[in-house]
Amino acid sequence: MSKVLSLVVGGVVLVVVGVSVASVLPRTSNQGYSPTQPIPFSHKLHAGTNKVPCQYCHSDVEKSRHASIPSTAVCMNCHKLVKTDSPLIKQVAAAWAENRAIEWVRIHELPDFVYFPHKRHVAAGVSCQTCHGEIQTMDKVYQFGALTMGWCMECHKGRSTPSNVLEFMEAKGHPNGEGLVAPIQCQTCHY
Ligand code: HEC
Ligand code: HEC
Ligand code: HEC
Ligand code: HEC
Ligand code: HEC
């Protein structure tokens, strides 16, 4: 019995030590992360030069928690006709013909215990560029924002918040408290 008890107590001590070590270590961030993609897809060429709207490809960003990555069928809306002689477009067309998804490597990823709803931010007028940088100038996407807890909090507390968003929340009469742009209670972002 006492052996079981000491195992349990030992386990608790380990958990406490683990948590305090985690809170002392500096937060690591994947800022700057820019993996090589299976096909070099350029946002500069599509969203910049050819002015294809972000939502044409990331169509769920206003509707749901996640921004969707476009399917190969969306690429083929244009590439059935555009640049069909390009070896890269031939790869896209082959994937589509074989009903095979292109395995895009995920860049931005929060831990599972964090809740982040895209649509709430887009509805409050936070632009994609505030969090993702000038994507329409990037040949290769990289993680622009730190995506740490402090990064979220600075904006929710009204410190790093863009002025259009401050004005939008002011017009709503500060529903989250004076000076606050969005809630800062733990359960807002953690389940
Ligand atoms: C023609 C389609 C298309 C358009 C238009 C487009 N994107 Fe993308 N986007 C993609 C594809 C495909 C990927 C995955 C490959 C990559 O990361 O480059 C992606 C990836 C991303 C990522 C990284 C996703 C991750 O894994 O974390 C962000 C952020 C992003 N896009 C934002 C934008 C913004 C902002 C705009 C408008 C300025 C935009 N995109 C316009 C197709 C598009
Ligand atoms: C709204 C139309 C449109 C959509 C949708 C679109 N593209 Fe494009 N894409 C273009 C245009 C226009 C060009 C530039 C063609 C040129 O340079 O003549 C281009 C160029 C490219 C190139 C460069 C080809 C080369 O050899 O120079 C690649 C690769 C590419 N697209 C991949 C994709 C992928 C992958 C998707 C889907 C995620 C996609 N495109 C979706 C319009 C589109
Ligand atoms: C308030 C900051 C913020 C804004 C505004 C924002 N994003 Fe994001 N975006 C994030 C975060 C944080 C993630 C990582 C989400 C996760 O891992 O759950 C992300 C992830 C993504 C992804 C990868 C797929 C996903 O949902 O995980 C895409 C694509 C994307 N964003 C596109 C966009 C586009 C397009 C816009 C503008 C219409 C936009 N984002 C606006 C912060 C933002
Ligand atoms: C640039 C500013 C900005 C950044 C960065 C930002 N947020 Fe927000 N957030 C807002 C605004 C504005 C709202 C909308 C408040 C409203 O509609 O009342 C919001 C709302 C939310 C909500 C909904 C709150 C509710 O009332 O239920 C959650 C959850 C949330 N944010 C999580 C996050 C997380 C997690 C991050 C970091 C990964 C983050 N936010 C980064 C500005 C930001
Ligand atoms: C606006 C959103 C937001 C709010 C509010 C928030 N967090 Fe977080 N929190 C995050 C994000 C994003 C991460 C993951 C990135 C990181 O670890 O910095 C995180 C990570 C954490 C971690 C893990 C840190 C680690 O070392 O891995 C703990 C513990 C935590 N939060 C506790 C809290 C507590 C306690 C509160 C309330 C006082 C709170 N959070 C409020 C967004 C938030």
Side-chain angles (χ1 to χ4, degrees):
M1 200 61 197
S2 67
K3 228 179 202 171
V4 172
L5 191 67
S6 66
L7 269 180
V8 169
V9 172
V12 169
V13 169
L14 273 183
V15 167
V16 170
V17 169
V19 168
S20 49
V21 166
S23 57
V24 166
L25 288 172
R27 282 307 308 151
T28 49
S29 162
N30 284 328
Q31 205 163 15
Y33 179 54
S34 184
T36 298
Q37 299 293 349
I39 289 172
F41 174 83
S42 169
H43 277 77
K44 186 178 174 192
L45 187 57
H46 289 86
T49 311
N50 286 291
K51 301 198 164 47
V52 184
C54 310
Q55 271 89 339
Y56 182 89
C57 290
H58 302 292
S59 53
D60 284 352
V61 78
E62 285 171 356
K63 292 178 263 182
S64 92
R65 174 177 175 187
H66 285 291
S68 45
I69 298 290
S71 68
T72 317
V74 174
C75 313
M76 292 308 285
N77 285 345
C78 294
H79 286 294
K80 268 182 209 156
L81 298 169
V82 175
K83 204 94 188 185
T84 48
D85 55 339
S86 151
L88 293 173
I89 299 305
K90 283 184 178 151
Q91 286 181 44
V92 178
W96 182 66
E98 292 159 25
N99 204 6
R100 172 167 54 78
I102 299 170
E103 306 281 334
W104 302 112
V105 182
R106 184 142 178 201
I107 302 168
H108 301 78
E109 190 156 27
L110 292 168
D112 287 342
F113 57 83
V114 181
Y115 173 62
F116 175 80
H118 263 97
K119 67 172 177 187
R120 289 293 297 271
H121 293 86
V122 176
V126 189
S127 73
C128 311
Q129 284 76 6
T130 299
C131 298
H132 292 300
E134 301 296 319
I135 293 267
Q136 72 285 354
T137 67
M138 297 179 196
D139 270 325
K140 191 164 179 262
V141 177
Y142 63 91
Q143 182 178 320
F144 168 85
L147 268 58
T148 57
M149 180 162 139
W151 179 79
C152 313
M153 286 292 207
E154 283 298 296
C155 183
H156 280 209
K157 286 181 180 167
R159 292 182 189 149
S160 63
T161 324
S163 55
N164 71 303
V165 180
L166 285 175
E167 281 158 25
F168 177 86
M169 295 316 292
E170 216 155 276
K172 280 177 79 177
H174 284 293
N176 302 300
E178 204 50 51
L180 290 183
V181 165
I184 55 169
Q185 287 87 353
C186 314
Q187 69 271 21
T188 304
C189 307
H190 299 297
Y191 301 103

